[in-house]
Each structure stands twice: as structure tokens, then as C-alpha cells.
Amino acid sequence: MNQLLGVAGICAAAAGGGNVLASRLIHRAHAEPGWFLYVPACALVEADRARPGTAEHLASLPGVTVLDLDLPAALAVAQQETWAAGHSQYAAQPTADRPDGAIIATTTPERWAGEPVRVLDLTP
């Protein structure tokens, strides 16, 4: 299974920035079995602030699963610089549903340097 976690960079790029790699990920999550694209709610908010309409568009796509901000995620958010980064890092950690965790797909891979997450660089 390929489990990818979209953060603000992928959300904004896919919704209208023209990033071909991000668009391909969204297409694969929709069209291919075993591909999943998760978007933390806090990253969705940040992307919508950068590009209004992004959140509604992404949340409506059939291949995208929006991850809620529950109590454990909220506590993790408090540890990070931004809500989007905190929720994304928390959501990328292994869970019962995602025993290997998820890969953070982003156009800003340098932001994740030194963090305990796997990153997919979507920089064109």
C-alpha cells in the first residue's frame, strides 16, 4: 500500500498551482487500488488561507481523506511551529491503520529536515 500524507504545499499546488506531481498523486489516489492520500485538517486550513477554495475542492475529491483534529493530534500540534506542520507530523506517525506511517508529500521538503518523517519531494 502507498499511503501519502498531503500537507499545505501539495494542497495549494494541486488545487491550482499547476504542480504536475501533486496532480498525479491525487489522480492515483482516486484511480488505483492501494493508493491513499490523507490531508490533515490543519494543513487544509493553511492551504485554503494561501489559496481560497482549496479546502472545499480537496475535501470533495473521492481519493482524498481528510484527517480530523482529535485530542492526541491537538496535543501534538502544540509542540510544533504551525498547526499544519504539527498535524501533518502527527498524522505521518505509524498507527493501527497505517503501521508504516505515511509519507509527507510536499513542495517544501527543507521544512522537514531533521524531523522523524519520510518525505516525498514534489518540487518541480
Side-chain angles (χ1 to χ4, degrees):
M1 271 192 252
N2 293 299
Q3 301 194 7
L4 297 166
L5 183 66
V7 295
I10 185 176
C11 294
N19 186 304
V20 174
L21 297 174
S23 295
R24 286 181 185 164
L25 288 178
I26 290 171
H27 173 74
R28 281 194 138 162
H30 173 68
E32 293 185 31
W35 277 80
F36 301 92
L37 185 61
Y38 301 97
V39 180
C42 293
L44 203 56
V45 169
E46 187 174 298
D48 201 71
R49 286 181 177 162
R51 187 179 293 270
T54 299
E56 186 175 357
H57 174 71
L58 278 175
S60 71
L61 295 174
V64 173
T65 300
V66 177
L67 300 175
D68 295 331
L69 182 65
D70 57 10
L71 179 58
L75 296 174
V77 163
Q79 305 294 319
Q80 289 291 329
E81 193 173 312
T82 68
W83 285 47
H87 198 186
S88 297
Q89 184 170 339
Y90 172 79
Q93 301 309 307
T95 66
D97 293 339
R98 296 183 303 276
D100 293 327
I103 300 166
I104 296 179
T106 181
T107 56
T108 57
E110 63 280 353
R111 186 270 167 253
W112 298 101
E115 297 289 347
V117 296
R118 296 177 294 156
V119 173
L120 176 61
D121 185 355
L122 297 180
T123 306

